Amino acid sequence: MNRRWIHFKYNKKKGRYERKDPSVVTRILAVGRHLLSGTIIGAILLYTFIFFVGSPSQWRLEKENELLRQRYSQLNVRLNEALEVLDDIGERDDNIYRVILQGEPLGSASRKAFVGNSQRYDSLLQLNDADLVITVSQKMDIIERQLYLQTKSFDEVVELFNTQEDRLRHIPAIQPVADKDLKYMASGYGWRIDPIYHLRKHHDGMDFSAEVGTDVFATGDGRVVSAGYNKGYGLCIDIDHGYGYMTRYAHLSKKFVGVGKLVKRGDKIGLVGNTGKSTGPHLHYEVHLRGVVQNPANYYYLDLTPEQYEAMIEKLDNIGQSMD
């Protein structure tokens, strides 16, 4: 017999305790009270444990989040390294490959320009460590764009290489007047004193002093785009060599080519003269690259030795006045 359910009640009339067993309902209620109180206490303890310590599922989630945070941090470092490599490849592309092949550099501004909608990252703002996730996502997009641009750039470099032989034929590379026919180098590229107005003015070409009637040669393959009188230039010929190059031959006494004529390097195109704004017989020669005047002295590499080139530069630096 379970003694827990034996009860005694005092009988005043008889003056003694008498045994009284509780009813089934009473027993059920007692059990219910114990179960309810135990449940309440257990729930309180469980809630306190979860609130202050956390549940196993929360532990797993926090552990997974910490692992994910570490992976994102590692990925961020690797993306920085990848960007540095891409920057180095871009610099080599612009400053070596394209310079050698006479190509137009893309430039870091074009390579690093990010074209995208910042709203595309709004959905990531709800995540834990949103700043880190967004930073990694942005760098991935930048790398994707730079890889695309670099791939296109290398395609262009390959095309430049394939056309290099033709390009070399078109680039101005000789003097327009034979060295044997020169009296002297009259004036070089740069700031000079104008012989007419006596003002300091930029001289956009080089002056070759020679007798009237001296042969003038095309300095590279190309097409004549202008042949006639051109204000202060007098009788003048312009040749488009392609690949961004154009040359000008001014103050001629005679021309042998017309507009549209295809010429080869070394073809005789005219004769030295004294037409236009000129103080004496000479040829004024200019080189333009993509619309910008260049120093013609940098384009005589086919018919001048290093010693001759240095002597010419020294002579030009000592000349303070142009002839036109």
Side-chain angles (χ1 to χ4, degrees), residues 97-108:
Y97 313 138
R98 288 178 173 270
V99 169
I100 292 175
L101 298 173
Q102 297 290 311
E104 181 72 16
L106 293 183
S108 60

Side-chain angles (χ1 to χ4, degrees), residues 175-177 182 184-186 206-210 281-283 285 300:
Q175 292 185 162
V177 178
L182 290 177
Y184 55 88
M185 197 73 67
M206 291 184 67
D207 293 339
F208 295 86
S209 177
H282 76 287
L283 173 74
Y285 174 65
Y300 303 142

Side-chain angles (χ1 to χ4, degrees), residues 130-163:
D131 290 342
L132 178 59
V133 176
I134 290 174
T135 298
V136 170
S137 300
Q138 288 176 335
K139 289 181 180 179
M140 286 292 293
D141 290 339
I142 292 173
I143 288 176
E144 182 179 2
R145 171 177 168 76
Q146 288 195 20
L147 284 174
Y148 172 77
L149 289 176
Q150 192 59 60
T151 300
K152 299 292 289 183
S153 176
F154 281 148
D155 289 342
E156 293 177 10
V157 169
V158 170
E159 181 64 23
L160 289 172
F161 179 80
N162 292 334
T163 60

Side-chain angles (χ1 to χ4, degrees), residues 106-114 145:
L106 293 183
S108 60
S110 176
R111 294 176 186 274
K112 296 181 179 180
F114 177 67
R145 171 177 168 76

